[in-house]
């Protein structure tokens, strides 16, 4: 008989972004197993389909034989080593593969253990790069609504996601500007106007002398801004402005990378590459923690010197871990061999269209939007009878969990749908059925 864990024991684990008192009182969940069909199994024996890919990381799905074998084989070959002292063969192989996947645009890879660490690393790289240039352009510009991690540097980049006063942080040298947010209800002229205004705001910030902007960090598709897909025209103009004003571009592909949005990287959808690219999450499909920052030859050469003072004072003991690199290489092979980027594009379109069709008459829903298998259900601000302290996304996610579907409420009224890239039409239909049935029931609680 398997051991059961009580709520009191849950205090031993401090969960991410959770008020632990309410989580243990109302939402405590212990997972003990997962199957090949991407169903988690909790300690009560209940199956729960992973409809958010372990927070957009399990791109090739759970229990993938190729990835598991690569990990086991590597443990028997070179179980660990650190880039502080030596370079390992798997780190070189992975870096070469990443250069190949990004059309040889990038020159070198700096390893991290997560997306948050990738953000810190990218910030340190651009700031030290400017120092080596004897430049005062150290300001960092980001977009409102972007999320780049949970470390202190990431928190200062994404100021509007946090209350920095609570952590005694003064984000001096970090700035944000509003991106364009287009709606399906906008006319073509309204969309064009929003883009024009957003470009003007961006250019004004870039040219502010007191900001001294030296780098721009952003996601092409903003996961935590209700999956805000930036318009192609906006992105092209922003890139042009940055190049004209000697502003380095950091593209955050932590959530979008490795097939999630229909291409290996969202940069390839937009046909643009930055000076730096952050990745993590789907890199190893979540089997082993890993992240990295890819940099161009120009950036790398900014540190190449006979002077020790020009080096990047940065690193992580387990960065470039051979087992993590083996898992990442196997993940990439699986993505390519099984054409999972294409499946993400195809199933993403199918899932988005089916959700839009099935929920078109639901009074709670504002919009369905996304790219590939990164989809957001955006709800209206409607209070629920007897549940006014929660938003619709929060309520829906709890109801759906009881029905065997795990989704992620990224905001009170935004629900993220992001299943593994291996998903079939049948699995999409099952998800839509649970979502539709749940929202139909919740609709009865809406205050009119």
């Amino acid at each position: 008989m398997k051991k059961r864990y009580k709520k009191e024991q849950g205090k031993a684990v401090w969960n991410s972004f959770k008020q632990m008192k309410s989580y243990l009182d109302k939402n405590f969940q212990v997972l003990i197993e997962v199957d090949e069909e991407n169903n988690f199994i909790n300690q009560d024996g209940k199956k729960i389909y992973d409809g958010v890919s372990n927070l957009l990381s399990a791109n090739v799905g759970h229990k993938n034989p190729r990835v598991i074998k690569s990990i086991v084989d590597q443990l028997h070959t070179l179980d660990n080593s650190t880039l502080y002292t030596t370079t390992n063969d798997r780190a070189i192989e992975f870096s070469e593969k990443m250069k190949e996947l990004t059309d040889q645009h990038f020159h070198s890879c700096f390893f991290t253990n997560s997306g948050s660490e990738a953000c810190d690393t990218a910030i340190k790289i651009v700031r030290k790069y400017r120092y080596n240039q004897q430049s005062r352009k150290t300001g960092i510009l980001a977009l409102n609504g972007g999320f780049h991690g949970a470390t202190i540097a990431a928190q200062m980049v994404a100021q509007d996601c946090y209350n920095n006063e609570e952590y005694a942080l003064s984000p001096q040298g970090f700035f944000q500007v509003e991106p364009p947010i287009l709606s399906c209800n906008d006319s073509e002229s309204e969309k064009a106007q929003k883009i024009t205004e957003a470009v003007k705001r961006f250019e004004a910030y870039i040219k502010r002398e007191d900001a001294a902007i030296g780098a721009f960090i952003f996601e092409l598709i903003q996961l935590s801004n209700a999956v805000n897909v930036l318009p192609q025209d906006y992105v092209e103009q922003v890139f042009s402005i940055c190049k004209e004003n000697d502003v380095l571009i950091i593209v955050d592909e932590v959530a979008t990378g490795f097939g999630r949005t229909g291409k290996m990287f969202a940069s390839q959808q937009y046909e643009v590459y930055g000076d730096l690219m952050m990745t993590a999450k789907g890199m190893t499909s979540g089997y082993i923690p890993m992240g990295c920052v890819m940099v161009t030859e120009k950036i790398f050469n900014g540190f190449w010197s006979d002077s020790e003072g020009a080096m990047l004072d940065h690193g992580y003991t387990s960065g470039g871990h051979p087992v993590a690199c083996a898992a990442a290489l196997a993940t990439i092979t699986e993505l390519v061999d099984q054409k999972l980027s294409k499946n993400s594009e195809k199933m993403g379109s199918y899932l988005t269209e089916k959700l839009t069709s099935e929920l078109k008459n639901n009074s709670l829903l504002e919009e369905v939007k996304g790219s590939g298998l990164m989809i957001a259900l955006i709800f209206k601000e409607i209070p629920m009878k007897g549940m006014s302290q929660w938003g619709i996304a929060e309520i829906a996610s709890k109801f759906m969990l009881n029905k065997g579907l795990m989704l992620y409420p990224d905001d009170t009224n935004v629900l993220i749908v992001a299943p593994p890239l291996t998903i079939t039409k049948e699995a999409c239909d099952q998800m839509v059925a649970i979502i539709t049935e749940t929202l139909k029931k919740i609709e009865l609680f809406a205050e009119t």
Side-chain angles (χ1 to χ4, degrees):
M1 186 175 178
K2 291 184 178 180
K3 183 176 180 180
R4 285 189 55 79
Y5 298 91
K6 299 177 181 178
K7 290 182 179 181
E8 187 64 26
Q9 292 174 283
K11 292 180 180 178
V13 177
W14 198 338
N15 290 65
S16 306
F17 286 86
K18 290 279 188 293
Q19 171 46 260
M20 290 302 294
K21 185 176 186 300
S22 61
Y23 168 69
L24 293 176
D25 285 347
K26 297 181 175 66
N27 302 309
F28 184 53
Q29 188 81 228
V30 178
L31 303 178
I32 61 170
E33 199 176 338
V34 70
D35 64 22
E36 290 83 356
E37 284 73 45
N38 300 310
N39 295 298
F40 287 120
I41 300 162
N42 69 12
Q43 64 178 354
D44 299 316
K46 183 179 180 61
K47 286 188 174 184
I48 304 167
Y49 182 75
D50 185 5
V52 73
S53 301
N54 198 29
L55 216 55
L56 289 87
S57 62
N59 286 9
V60 303
H62 296 273
K63 283 198 166 180
N64 182 280
R66 175 180 267 155
V67 179
I68 292 170
K69 185 178 186 302
S70 74
I71 292 169
V72 174
D73 288 350
Q74 187 60 45
L75 285 168
H76 286 295
T77 307
L78 177 63
D79 57 355
N80 65 80
S81 67
T82 178
L83 297 182
Y84 270 79
T85 57
T86 55
T87 307
N88 69 76
D89 59 339
R90 305 322 297 272
I92 293 175
E93 288 174 36
F94 173 79
S95 299
E96 292 290 347
K97 177 56 71 173
M98 284 293 288
K99 289 166 65 176
E100 177 189 325
L101 291 174
T102 53
D103 308 308
Q104 301 297 330
H105 175 82
F106 295 105
H107 181 73
S108 190
C109 172
F110 198 103
F111 289 93
T112 70
N113 303 291
S114 68
S116 293
E117 287 182 0
C119 179
D120 279 38
T121 300
I123 298 302
K124 285 185 72 172
I125 289 173
V126 297
R127 287 239 164 127
K128 184 63 183 282
Y129 177 83
R130 292 301 187 191
Y131 178 85
N132 287 348
Q133 285 187 316
Q134 298 183 319
S135 168
R136 294 183 179 181
K137 290 171 67 74
T138 58
I140 308 293
L141 182 63
L143 296 180
N144 285 90
F147 182 83
H148 302 282
T151 55
I152 286 177
Q155 186 165 325
M156 290 192 288
V157 169
Q159 299 168 44
D160 59 332
C161 294
Y162 297 93
N163 185 341
N164 281 322
E165 289 184 4
E166 297 174 349
Y167 299 91
L169 294 177
S170 176
Q172 184 176 355
F174 292 87
F175 307 90
Q176 285 184 301
V177 63
E178 282 288 338
I181 300 177
L182 308 186
S183 167
C184 62
N185 298 317
D186 290 338
S187 66
E188 290 304 312
S189 61
E190 287 172 330
K191 290 177 182 177
Q193 182 65 23
K194 285 184 177 182
I195 293 169
T196 299
E197 291 173 355
V199 169
K200 286 180 179 178
R201 288 193 298 268
F202 182 85
E203 188 167 25
Y205 241 111
I206 292 295
K207 293 186 175 180
R208 269 181 53 180
E209 290 187 10
D210 62 321
I213 302 298
F216 171 51
I217 179 172
F218 76 119
E219 305 153 289
L220 290 159
I221 300 168
Q222 296 181 296
L223 171 66
S224 293
N225 199 9
V227 189
N228 182 32
V229 181
L230 295 180
Q232 179 77 34
D233 188 30
Y234 173 78
V235 171
E236 289 176 0
Q237 291 188 68
V238 159
F239 264 68
S240 179
I241 291 167
C242 286
K243 291 182 187 302
E244 289 170 5
N245 292 275
D246 185 28
V247 173
L248 300 175
I249 299 170
I250 306 168
V251 178
D252 183 342
E253 293 257 18
V254 170
T256 53
F258 300 96
R260 174 56 55 184
T261 63
K263 295 287 186 182
M264 186 62 76
F265 298 102
S267 297
Q268 292 161 340
Q269 284 177 245
Y270 286 83
E271 298 182 339
V272 294
Y273 284 115
D275 300 288
L276 300 88
M277 184 176 82
M278 299 160 43
T279 64
K281 287 189 182 289
M283 178 182 290
T284 66
S285 208
Y287 285 76
I288 303 283
M290 183 176 173
C292 81
V293 178
M294 300 297 297
V295 302
T296 60
E297 188 172 10
K298 179 184 83 169
I299 301 298
F300 182 81
N301 286 343
F303 298 84
W304 188 267
S305 170
D306 292 326
S307 168
E308 290 291 308
M311 75 174 181
L312 182 66
D313 310 283
H314 190 64
Y316 303 97
T317 301
S318 54
H321 196 289
V323 178
C325 289
L329 285 163
T331 295
I332 291 168
T333 301
E334 191 75 1
L335 286 167
V336 174
D337 285 359
Q338 302 302 321
K339 298 180 173 59
L340 294 182
S341 295
K342 187 67 178 176
N343 195 59
S344 175
E345 181 182 30
K346 183 179 178 181
M347 290 298 101
S349 294
Y350 176 77
L351 188 53
T352 299
E353 289 168 10
K354 183 135 190 172
L355 284 166
T356 302
S357 174
E358 293 295 320
L359 297 172
K360 64 182 178 182
N361 295 320
N362 190 286
S363 63
L364 306 180
L365 188 71
E366 183 71 43
E367 188 176 355
V368 181
K369 65 192 299 188
S371 179
L373 285 170
M374 183 191 288
I375 301 166
L377 299 178
I378 305 168
F379 299 102
K380 299 172 184 175
E381 297 280 347
I382 301 175
M384 298 288 109
K385 296 173 185 175
M387 297 179 282
S388 57
Q389 68 271 43
W390 295 305
I392 295 171
E394 295 170 305
I395 297 167
S397 67
K398 293 173 186 176
F399 278 49
M400 290 175 196
L401 199 62
N402 290 331
K403 291 180 177 294
L405 175 61
M406 182 183 292
L407 299 181
Y408 184 69
D410 200 48
D411 201 347
T412 55
N413 285 305
V414 178
L415 194 60
I416 301 298
V417 182
L421 310 189
T422 55
I423 195 168
T424 61
K425 273 191 175 182
E426 291 73 23
C428 286
D429 291 342
Q430 290 170 8
M431 289 181 69
V432 172
I434 292 174
I435 292 168
T436 303
E437 181 187 352
T438 300
L439 294 179
K440 191 174 181 180
K441 288 184 177 180
I442 294 175
E443 201 173 16
L444 300 174
F445 294 94
E447 291 185 3
T448 56

